[in-house]
Amino acid sequence: MSEGESQQIFTNWLDSWGIEKLRKEQDSDPYIAKLKQLKAVRSTKQKRDEMNGLAYEIRVYCQRWDHISLLENGLLYVQDSGSDGNTHDRVLAPVSFRKQILYEFHDSQTAGHLGWDKTLSQIKRRYYWPGLSDDVGRWCRKCDMCARRKPGPGMGKTPLHPTLAQVSRPLDRISIDILSGIPVTANGHSCIMVVCDYFSKWVEAHGLPNHTAVTIADKLCSEFISRFGVPFQILSDRGAEFE
């Protein structure tokens, strides 16, 4: 890890801890300190029977033995390949720092009370400890502000209702939907936008590279509305790309 990469780990609020403080806390942590001792006297990880009697966290660390390194700054890191394809050095977080890490990445003003997946993703870019995913889930579920401001999946949305108005001519109402999960074509299209006029039953299908709101709006205007005109109503399943 280069000096520039090392500095990326210690950003904003973590600067107040400093490498020396974090190293001291790792040395005081019963699990990480034990792992450091094992790293100092062994070059290979323990066999299964050798790990009997060790604490759960130490056994989890030992299972990732080949990915955990003690760098020149005296801190233990676990090296992982991220979803972006790059390799990340993640600090082994001492027990004494974990609540503050959860607070800073979820509750603080700069965190914004993100959900479980986004909060976990942010923490996993920098830190690692056994049971991290479960700890983030419990922390988010116990957040009072999230419970009061986020009603939950499917709640707080306007309910769907049938459309009773009759159509009497073309473009009174068109329906639009996305067909996804198809093989990618030579043109890079991975989904199809299907448009149907309710009165004439005219159907058109247009290939799309993705089904984002911008892509759909551009295709609808350039391929359908520019040729036939603006419809009076557009009916959809209210997916995020249509909303």
Side-chain angles (χ1 to χ4, degrees):
M1 182 175 66
S2 67
E3 181 180 354
E5 291 173 328
S6 176
Q7 290 301 317
Q8 291 178 5
I9 296 176
F10 300 96
T11 57
N12 299 332
W13 53 275
L14 189 54
D15 280 335
S16 63
W17 294 352
I19 294 178
E20 183 62 35
K21 180 174 177 59
L22 188 53
R23 181 169 53 241
K24 180 179 179 181
E25 291 298 323
Q26 279 194 347
D27 292 338
S28 301
D29 186 273
Y31 311 116
I32 301 177
K34 178 63 175 179
L35 182 64
K36 280 190 175 183
Q37 293 175 5
L38 293 174
K39 280 284 186 180
V41 298
R42 298 183 64 105
S43 58
T44 58
K45 72 177 182 179
Q46 295 85 340
K47 297 179 180 179
R48 184 181 298 273
D49 57 348
E50 292 178 320
M51 290 191 288
N52 292 335
L54 295 177
Y56 166 75
E57 290 211 8
I58 299 177
R59 296 201 305 271
V60 174
Y61 286 139
C62 288
Q63 289 171 0
R64 309 197 66 179
W65 181 273
D66 295 333
H67 298 278
I68 295 177
S69 302
L70 181 65
L71 301 188
E72 293 180 356
N73 57 18
L75 294 176
L76 274 176
Y77 294 84
V78 60
Q79 192 174 71
D80 286 320
S81 297
S83 57
D84 55 3
N86 297 322
T87 299
H88 299 279
D89 290 327
R90 301 158 58 193
V91 181
L92 298 191
V95 174
S96 58
F97 278 176
R98 294 176 188 176
K99 286 187 177 180
Q100 187 172 354
I101 291 173
L102 291 167
Y103 173 84
E104 295 293 347
F105 280 93
H106 181 266
D107 296 37
S108 67
Q109 292 183 346
T110 57
H113 288 267
L114 301 177
W116 170 85
D117 52 345
K118 293 183 179 179
T119 302
L120 178 63
S121 177
Q122 290 293 321
I123 296 178
K124 286 177 66 175
R125 291 173 54 193
R126 300 169 175 85
Y127 304 103
Y128 172 80
W129 69 82
L132 169 59
S133 179
D134 291 339
D135 287 347
V136 172
R138 283 191 291 268
W139 186 274
C140 293
R141 287 194 298 270
K142 292 181 179 179
C143 178
D144 180 66
M145 182 174 293
C146 289
R148 287 186 283 109
R149 299 183 61 180
K150 299 178 180 179
M155 301 177 63
K157 296 181 179 292
T158 303
L160 299 177
H161 57 84
T163 301
L164 301 178
Q166 298 295 318
V167 294
S168 58
R169 56 186 176 182
L171 294 183
D172 268 1
R173 184 187 305 134
I174 66 170
S175 63
I176 180 172
D177 203 356
I178 301 298
L179 175 64
S180 57
I182 62 175
V184 180
T185 68
N187 294 330
H189 295 159
S190 60
C191 51
I192 299 174
M193 181 182 72
V194 181
V195 184
C196 178
D197 178 67
Y198 260 62
F199 181 81
S200 66
K201 310 304 181 186
W202 179 264
V203 178
E204 292 199 352
H206 303 281
L208 300 175
N210 56 66
H211 53 92
T212 63
V214 173
T215 300
I216 291 175
D218 178 71
K219 182 66 69 171
L220 183 64
C221 290
S222 61
E223 297 290 343
F224 189 89
I225 293 178
S226 64
R227 293 161 51 221
F228 300 110
V230 180
F232 183 70
Q233 292 180 337
I234 297 179
L235 183 67
S236 74
D237 61 1
R238 302 188 65 184
E241 57 271 79
F242 301 123
E243 290 290 283

